[in-house]
Amino acid sequence: ALKHYDAALLLDMGEVLDRTIQEAKKDASLENVSLIPSDIYQNETGKTARFLDRVEAEFFSEMAKEMERRQSDRKNS
């Protein structure tokens, strides 16, 4: 059962990652943040780093919610 749980969580992680990437691309465009290293000027590195830190935090927050949902589903089954 644990192998199936881990496999399912990996699938969920891929879905969360896909959603996070789509949102990050949209937000980066709206906030005028470049995500392509060759397009980031030295004076913009801080802005880009803060943006990526926020995206990372959002991804892990969504993964934590997904893990909690899975645990809740397992307890209720």
Side-chain angles (χ1 to χ4, degrees), residues 24 27-28 31 33 35 46-55:
D27 291 347
E31 296 175 33
V33 174
L35 299 177
K47 180 180 179 181
T48 301
R50 286 187 299 279
F51 178 83
L52 292 174
D53 286 345
R54 190 179 79 219
V55 168

Side-chain angles (χ1 to χ4, degrees), residues 17-68:
L17 185 57
D18 287 343
R19 284 194 311 263
T20 302
I21 289 170
Q22 292 305 315
E23 284 294 314
K25 285 181 179 180
K26 181 180 77 174
D27 291 347
S29 177
L30 291 172
E31 296 175 33
N32 200 28
V33 174
S34 181
L35 299 177
I36 300 170
S38 61
D39 293 344
I40 300 170
Y41 297 102
Q42 198 166 25
N43 63 339
E44 297 176 333
T45 56
K47 180 180 179 181
T48 301
R50 286 187 299 279
F51 178 83
L52 292 174
D53 286 345
R54 190 179 79 219
V55 168
E56 179 184 26
E58 290 169 1
F59 170 75
F60 284 114
S61 173
E62 289 300 312
M63 279 306 300
K65 289 176 190 174
E66 189 60 36
M67 291 173 73
E68 288 174 7

